[in-house]
Amino acid sequence: MQIYSINPFNYQNPSFQRRGKAIDLKYILEKRSQLLPQRVLEEARKSNSDKSLLDIHCSVYAPLLKCKTLDEVKSIYPEFSGIADNVTFTRDTIYKRQFEARTSNINFSLKMLQQLWGELKTKDEVARELGLPNRTSLDWALKQINFVYFMPNYRVLLKASDEAGNREIAQKMTAYNEANQELMYARNRHAAQFCKTEEYRSAQRARMIEYDKLHPERREKISEFDKRTWDLCPEIKEAMTQFAMSEAAYVRAIVMKKFRGVSLSEQEKRTEKGFYKRFWTAYPHLRKVLAAAKAQVRKDLGR
């Protein structure tokens, strides 16, 4: 499976340096400052350049972890003043009863701020701890309280700024590839058996181009579907960004060229497809995440 609708460099991937090497604060401030929360940005500009972005973030939001009430949080962090105290339900549903049962002993809004901003837990981790079905269920509840969340790409920057975290990602990727060489070879052979001829692919592309001219609404529907799907998959975006750090510069340039809407040569198309093939081979478990997101979007759109 190849995915062309997601931009793995959606935050303009910070350095593509050698895996395991942290991205320094100077680079982040010069090239990626727009991704930082305002409070973190201000502190970073005042900090010693030897500090990592992760260190600064943890320092800035350390007081958040000591707050006992949401009002106390808002007095320290005015940017969270619009967050509601409770989730409001308009109907009595199974989800409402389950949600209330699992959050009855906590201040949900305060807990989410502390876990997602202070402890930097992922939404998947928080959803599992609450016993919710998935992160989509958590997202719905967060939307109801007007939760303020940082950009998903900011989390990638935090991880990339820490040498240990960056090295851990690289080691896991390498270990998986080394432990599953036969599986990867088998997958490649299997995929090759079903590869269509170039003549067939060219004819198919021509047919789709002609169809799109007659049915412009199709492209709009596909665009909406893709956007909704990838909004539910920040973990895939993050993994793809990290994976791209190990790719050659010319491969990244070709992928970015495609996202800018520039036509690719046949050789560039093969390079682009190779990039996605290598990614899904390295992260086969994320296929289930993508499939679940697609199913959720189909359900939401009534398809």
Side-chain angles (χ1 to χ4, degrees), residues 180-227:
N180 295 275
Q181 289 183 5
E182 288 302 320
L183 174 61
M184 288 188 292
Y185 293 151
R187 286 179 182 275
N188 291 342
R189 289 194 297 269
H190 181 73
Q193 293 174 2
F194 293 92
C195 184
K196 298 182 177 72
T197 65
E198 181 56 36
E199 290 77 11
Y200 180 94
R201 289 195 295 269
S202 296
Q204 181 69 3
R205 283 195 294 270
R207 285 193 291 269
M208 293 310 298
I209 290 173
E210 184 60 27
Y211 186 90
D212 286 347
K213 289 179 180 178
L214 298 174
H215 302 275
E217 71 281 0
R218 175 181 175 273
R219 296 184 66 85
E220 294 176 6
K221 289 181 179 179
I222 292 175
S223 178
E224 172 67 11
F225 184 90
D226 286 346
K227 181 180 183 305

Side-chain angles (χ1 to χ4, degrees), residues 118-300:
E119 299 175 22
L120 289 174
K121 291 184 178 180
T122 66
K123 289 182 179 180
D124 289 301
E125 290 172 330
V126 174
R128 282 196 298 270
E129 290 178 8
L130 289 175
L132 297 176
N134 49 50
R135 69 184 305 277
T136 303
S137 297
L138 177 65
D139 277 329
W140 185 89
L142 292 175
K143 184 177 180 180
Q144 305 313 302
I145 62 172
N146 301 315
F147 190 79
V148 178
Y149 196 54
F150 49 77
M151 296 174 63
N153 297 329
Y154 174 62
R155 180 182 293 279
V156 179
L157 271 183
L158 288 172
K159 188 175 294 185
S161 74
D162 177 63
E163 187 169 336
N166 223 10
R167 187 165 54 246
E168 178 186 354
I169 294 171
Q171 289 172 346
K172 286 182 178 179
M173 184 186 303
T174 301
Y176 179 88
N177 290 340
E178 291 178 349
N180 295 275
Q181 289 183 5
E182 288 302 320
L183 174 61
M184 288 188 292
Y185 293 151
R187 286 179 182 275
N188 291 342
R189 289 194 297 269
H190 181 73
Q193 293 174 2
F194 293 92
C195 184
K196 298 182 177 72
T197 65
E198 181 56 36
E199 290 77 11
Y200 180 94
R201 289 195 295 269
S202 296
Q204 181 69 3
R205 283 195 294 270
R207 285 193 291 269
M208 293 310 298
I209 290 173
E210 184 60 27
Y211 186 90
D212 286 347
K213 289 179 180 178
L214 298 174
H215 302 275
E217 71 281 0
R218 175 181 175 273
R219 296 184 66 85
E220 294 176 6
K221 289 181 179 179
I222 292 175
S223 178
E224 172 67 11
F225 184 90
D226 286 346
K227 181 180 183 305
R228 288 184 177 229
T229 297
W230 290 112
D231 283 346
L232 296 178
C233 301
E235 59 271 65
I236 298 181
K237 294 180 182 179
E238 180 174 334
M240 193 171 286
T241 299
Q242 291 295 331
F243 178 78
M245 294 171 69
S246 65
E247 291 286 302
Y250 80 93
V251 175
R252 299 192 299 274
I254 289 172
V255 176
M256 288 303 297
K257 183 177 177 180
K258 176 65 177 292
F259 288 128
R260 290 195 299 270
V262 180
S263 298
L264 303 182
S265 67
E266 289 304 314
Q267 176 60 46
E268 289 173 330
K269 289 176 183 177
R270 287 192 288 271
T271 299
E272 182 201 27
K273 289 179 181 179
F275 169 84
Y276 288 106
K277 182 177 180 180
R278 289 189 295 277
F279 171 78
W280 289 111
T281 299
Y283 293 90
H285 61 286
L286 290 180
R287 293 174 184 268
K288 291 183 179 179
V289 176
L290 181 61
K294 287 183 175 181
Q296 181 62 47
V297 174
R298 289 192 188 97
K299 181 179 179 181
D300 293 344

Side-chain angles (χ1 to χ4, degrees), residues 2-153:
Q2 285 141 5
I3 302 300
Y4 301 103
S5 56
I6 176 175
N7 182 347
F9 318 111
N10 147 18
Y11 72 107
Q12 297 179 337
N13 194 16
S15 73
F16 295 107
Q17 299 177 14
R18 174 174 53 82
R19 287 184 291 174
K21 183 178 180 181
I23 298 171
D24 61 45
L25 189 61
K26 182 175 182 293
Y27 179 92
I28 292 174
L29 288 175
E30 290 178 353
K31 304 294 184 180
R32 305 291 177 259
S33 61
Q34 74 275 14
L35 299 177
L36 277 57
Q38 187 61 35
R39 188 179 293 271
V40 174
L41 176 60
E42 292 173 0
E43 187 61 31
R45 286 173 173 163
K46 296 185 294 185
S47 296
N48 187 311
S49 59
D50 290 337
K51 282 190 175 182
S52 73
L53 180 63
L54 182 61
D55 290 336
I56 294 172
H57 178 98
C58 291
S59 174
V60 167
Y61 293 103
L64 173 60
L65 299 175
K66 299 177 182 179
C67 293
K68 302 299 183 183
T69 66
L70 186 59
D71 286 339
E72 188 179 352
V73 171
K74 292 178 179 180
S75 68
I76 301 173
Y77 303 95
E79 61 267 37
F80 299 141
S81 60
I83 295 179
D85 292 326
N86 301 295
V87 177
T88 302
F89 292 92
T90 57
R91 293 183 301 146
D92 184 23
T93 63
I94 294 177
Y95 175 82
K96 173 182 180 294
R97 293 192 291 273
Q98 291 177 340
F99 180 85
E100 291 178 341
R102 288 162 181 160
T103 59
S104 61
N105 61 339
I106 64 171
N107 181 321
F108 179 74
S109 299
L110 173 62
K111 193 71 172 178
M112 292 306 97
L113 283 168
Q114 291 176 329
Q115 291 190 327
L116 294 171
W117 279 87
E119 299 175 22
L120 289 174
K121 291 184 178 180
T122 66
K123 289 182 179 180
D124 289 301
E125 290 172 330
V126 174
R128 282 196 298 270
E129 290 178 8
L130 289 175
L132 297 176
N134 49 50
R135 69 184 305 277
T136 303
S137 297
L138 177 65
D139 277 329
W140 185 89
L142 292 175
K143 184 177 180 180
Q144 305 313 302
I145 62 172
N146 301 315
F147 190 79
V148 178
Y149 196 54
F150 49 77
M151 296 174 63
N153 297 329

